[in-house]
Every structure is written in structure tokens, then in C-alpha cells.
Amino acid sequence: MAASQAASAAPRQTAQAGDPSPESSDVDEAMAEANREADEQRAAAAASGEPVAPRDTHIPAPGEYGFGKPAATAQHGEVVAYTPRHESGRLTVPITIHNGSDDRVNYRVEVTVVGGNQDSPITVTTNANNVFPGTTWPTQVDITTAGVTTSPANLQISLEVVQDVYPYGDGH
């Protein structure tokens, strides 16, 4: 018993604020080793070759959609209707809407077709909501009615555009 009493009677050293504790250095070493192993596993599991990145970030201009010859324009050239074409028994009028402003904009476009065997004009409406600044919204209107069997070249297209700033705005 004298040996155990002598061991317990020995003065203990108290840790100073700057002294690293033996437990914390063991934990730090274990964490560093675990981080090295994780890095090696990630490197081994990574795909080989080039990183994936967008190749073409070009925003097409209205004329780059391949819709053909413009038949009508409105809103200072922001809205363009192209020569109509027959597709699957209906007349299709391609349209591009280009937002040239600095705000997001909602567009309502009324396309009126006159000519051919029709007795009266045909009006079709399409909407393009929340069009971002500098972007082009391609769309089309389809007309399925008697009297549009004439050649698309003999039809006259007119546009009426209502434009308003997106109500939820770009307030940052």
C-alpha cells in the first residue's frame, strides 16, 4: 500500500493554457488522417477527362431560330411574326418576342391573319410572361379554320402587342 500512497501523493502537473493536451493532439492527428483518406477516395472516384461545362452560352437573336422571312413586326422590332406555313392541316405563324428593356416583361400578342378564302380576319392571341431582359422568347400561333387553305404567301399578318412590366419586378 505504501507504493500506491506514494504515487497518489506525488504532485500533479497542471496544464497551462498554451500546452496541448495529449488527447487533443491524438484527435487532431486522427482527423487529419481521415481527411487525407477522404481526399484519396474522392480522387480515385472522380471521373476522368474534361470537366463538364456548357460549350455554347450564346443567346440566339430573333432571326437565328430559322423561322424564315419576317411577315410583320411590332413594338419597335421586339415582336416579329414570320411567314406562315401549313403544318398538319393548320396554319402556323412563328413568332419571336425579344425583350430589349432592362426589366422583366409580360407580353400579350394578338396575331391577325387576313386574306385567302376567308371572309373575315382571324385573330389568335398568345402570351409570353416574365421574359427576362435581353432574351428572346420563340413561340407560334396555330390557326385551324376553314379558309386558310390558301398559300401562306397570300396572307397578310398584323400584330398588336400589349406589354407590361412583370408585376413582381426585379427589385433586389
Side-chain angles (χ1 to χ4, degrees), residues 75-132:
Q75 206 69 20
H76 307 290
E78 285 187 8
V79 180
V80 180
Y82 297 88
T83 303
R85 56 183 180 251
H86 286 288
E87 291 181 355
S88 304
R90 66 182 189 260
L91 186 69
T92 301
V93 180
I95 299 171
T96 55
I97 301 167
H98 180 77
N99 183 357
S101 73
D102 292 333
D103 298 314
R104 288 188 277 181
V105 177
N106 293 331
Y107 291 86
R108 192 178 106 242
V109 180
E110 290 184 358
V111 180
T112 303
V113 178
V114 180
N117 301 335
Q118 345 178 121
D119 293 334
S120 61
I122 299 170
T123 301
V124 180
T125 302
T126 186
N127 293 316
N129 295 323
N130 195 17
V131 180
F132 277 76

Side-chain angles (χ1 to χ4, degrees), residues 118-168:
Q118 345 178 121
D119 293 334
S120 61
I122 299 170
T123 301
V124 180
T125 302
T126 186
N127 293 316
N129 295 323
N130 195 17
V131 180
F132 277 76
T135 61
T136 300
W137 185 290
T139 188
Q140 67 185 22
V141 295
D142 296 332
I143 301 169
T144 54
T145 187
V148 292
T149 57
T150 187
S151 169
N154 295 335
L155 299 173
Q156 293 178 346
I157 307 293
S158 62
L159 301 170
E160 185 175 321
V161 179
V162 176
Q163 172 184 347
D164 65 320
V165 175
Y166 183 66
Y168 302 106

